[in-house]
Amino acid sequence: MQFGIFSVGDVTMDPTTGRTPTEGERIKAIMRIALKAEEVGLDVFATGEHHNPPFVPSSPTTMLGYIAARTERLVLSTATTLITTNDPVKIAEDYAMLQHLADGRVDLMMGRGNTGPVYPWFGQDIRQGIPLAVENYALLHQLWREDVVDWEGRFRTPLQGFTSTPRPLDGVPPFVWHGSIRTPEIAEQAAYYGDGFFANNIFWPKEHFIRLISLYRQRYAHYGHGTPEQAIVGLGGQVFMRKNSQDAIREFRPYFDNAPVYGHGPSLEDFMAETPLTVGSPQQVIDRTLRFREYFGDYQRQLFLMDHAGLPLKTVLEQLDILGEEVVPVLRREFAIGRPAGVPDAPTHASLVAAREAENVKEVNA
């Protein structure tokens, strides 16, 4: 399994001090957090994409390119690449370029985001959200796999004899996850292509995500990509830890109460009871995360949200130390126990290249 963190990149006032970081401070803090992720032994760093305050990650490839130059092992990903409002040609070229710069340490997660006004800002109609996601990804998928593309659709000008550049590294496109909070059509899309499905697993009860992941697994098998157990699943999660759970709850409460997404709503205790949010000791985080396998089956990627709601950089770095030193080593060991042999590892560039070479040999010998 892969373990890592994702950032939504919010610029939020620290409710305990009343100070709001500048955009520049927040951007540089996210970079420091990503580098820390590699330092503590995590596998993945993912950034969101937003084009509205209070968020700053409007250019994920710029951020990930910076991180790529300063890391050696970390897989660089997105927590959302807006497939509905970005031009698929630009996605194809930007992420192929990043793939080359990072020596293959790149994958990305397609999503529609959670900001309705972004559609007209980029010349699109929110009522066409699902058709845009379907058509734009079909084009992106083709651009990465065919050297010369002729294409015509509903939402952009036609392409005639077009070649996106650079071509994917080693002829193998970045692995794609399709992220969703609520939409079964996106689970269906991921299954159709044999791509990964990433369940946000933050805002809703587990029963909601059980239904989405079960649908994805069933349809993955239906399209002939393997058994339901071989489908590629990723999960989000949200934690805050201290040695004593009472200290964790006391420290995190003001941040929860004033968070831009769920603040001024349910109590912290109610939210923890109804969603995967875990505020407590490292052992409590371990125990609750291990239960994800009971609900969703064996899966490939676990990402945690750690740096939001105005938490200061010092606190986030402390959280990453705890995650890397006390939590993830136990999770790696425990998730490996009893993992069926047929459950695949998380895809990497190396594994995708090897799979393609094996397929080529099979075709030659057929």
Side-chain angles (χ1 to χ4, degrees):
M1 279 185 67
Q2 293 175 336
F3 296 90
I5 57 173
F6 68 100
S7 175
V8 296
D10 59 309
V11 180
T12 303
M13 181 186 72
D14 182 336
T16 67
T17 66
R19 185 180 185 276
T20 303
T22 66
E23 290 182 325
E25 289 171 336
R26 183 67 172 111
I27 291 167
K28 291 179 180 178
I30 295 171
M31 300 301 97
R32 180 70 188 92
I33 289 163
L35 302 185
K36 183 72 170 180
E38 178 163 280
E39 291 173 18
V40 301
L42 301 183
D43 305 309
V44 183
F45 173 81
T47 176
E49 178 186 347
H50 297 277
H51 299 277
N52 58 289
F55 306 99
V56 291
S58 58
S59 180
T61 52
T62 304
M63 298 172 66
L64 295 177
Y66 179 97
I67 298 165
R70 288 158 177 79
T71 54
E72 298 180 354
R73 186 184 52 79
L74 196 67
V75 174
L76 310 171
S77 190
T78 60
T80 304
T81 295
L82 296 176
I83 189 63
T84 45
T85 49
N86 282 311
D87 184 350
V89 172
K90 197 70 170 70
I91 295 176
E93 296 188 334
D94 283 353
Y95 283 91
M97 176 68 78
L98 180 61
Q99 194 189 30
H100 282 271
L101 290 173
D103 296 322
R105 294 183 290 125
V106 173
D107 58 38
L108 64 163
M109 187 192 309
M110 299 299 164
R112 294 178 295 139
N114 59 6
T115 306
V118 74
Y119 285 83
W121 293 342
F122 288 85
Q124 302 295 349
D125 183 344
I126 192 172
R127 293 170 294 184
Q128 300 297 324
I130 295 296
L132 278 163
V134 171
E135 180 178 299
N136 284 355
Y137 184 64
L139 175 55
L140 175 62
H141 192 270
Q142 186 176 352
L143 288 167
W144 273 339
R145 288 164 175 81
E146 297 180 16
D147 289 340
V148 180
V149 172
D150 294 313
W151 182 89
E152 185 171 353
R154 293 173 55 194
F155 299 111
R156 77 172 319 280
T157 53
L159 299 174
Q160 296 180 344
F162 179 76
T163 299
S164 67
T165 60
R167 304 303 299 146
L169 178 65
D170 300 320
V172 175
F175 185 75
V176 169
W177 304 81
H178 299 260
S180 179
I181 297 175
R182 61 189 176 275
T183 309
E185 289 90 344
I186 301 304
E188 176 77 17
Q189 183 183 42
Y192 176 80
Y193 287 101
D195 294 337
F197 180 69
F198 190 92
N200 170 280
N201 198 37
I202 288 180
F203 301 119
W204 293 65
K206 64 181 182 300
E207 290 79 10
H208 173 77
F209 292 109
I210 288 172
R211 289 192 293 271
L212 276 178
I213 292 171
S214 296
L215 171 64
Y216 162 67
R217 289 187 184 277
Q218 293 164 12
R219 300 301 288 172
Y220 182 94
H222 168 81
Y223 288 115
H225 301 298
T227 67
E229 294 76 21
Q230 291 173 324
I232 308 299
V233 173
L235 294 175
Q238 187 176 356
V239 300
F240 186 87
M241 298 168 286
R242 289 301 183 200
K243 181 178 180 180
N244 298 312
S245 59
Q246 298 90 338
D247 293 337
I249 290 172
R250 182 169 53 252
E251 184 175 349
F252 187 68
R253 187 181 300 280
Y255 297 97
F256 175 88
D257 289 345
N258 293 278
V261 175
Y262 44 65
H264 309 288
S267 70
L268 174 57
E269 288 75 11
D270 287 345
F271 203 81
M272 285 196 293
E274 294 296 328
T275 77
L277 171 64
T278 306
V279 180
S281 68
Q283 188 60 52
Q284 287 174 308
V285 170
I286 291 168
D287 292 342
R288 194 162 196 199
T289 304
L290 289 174
R291 286 201 294 273
F292 291 170
R293 178 164 60 177
E294 300 173 16
Y295 311 143
F296 309 115
D298 287 284
Y299 61 108
Q300 284 70 31
R301 175 175 285 185
Q302 175 65 58
L303 301 184
F304 295 102
L305 176 62
M306 309 288 288
D307 69 319
H308 66 116
L311 287 166
L313 177 60
K314 177 177 180 294
T315 299
V316 176
L317 298 180
E318 292 169 352
Q319 293 292 302
L320 290 175
D321 279 328
I322 299 170
L323 187 68
E325 295 171 8
E326 301 183 42
V327 174
V328 166
V330 179
L331 292 177
R332 288 192 197 280
R333 182 176 66 248
E334 294 297 321
F335 273 122
I337 296 173
R339 190 176 180 90
V343 174
D345 293 336
T348 65
H349 182 72
S351 71
L352 295 174
V353 170
R356 186 198 60 179
E357 292 174 349
E359 188 63 30
N360 289 342
V361 169
K362 185 187 297 184
E363 292 177 0
V364 169
N365 295 333

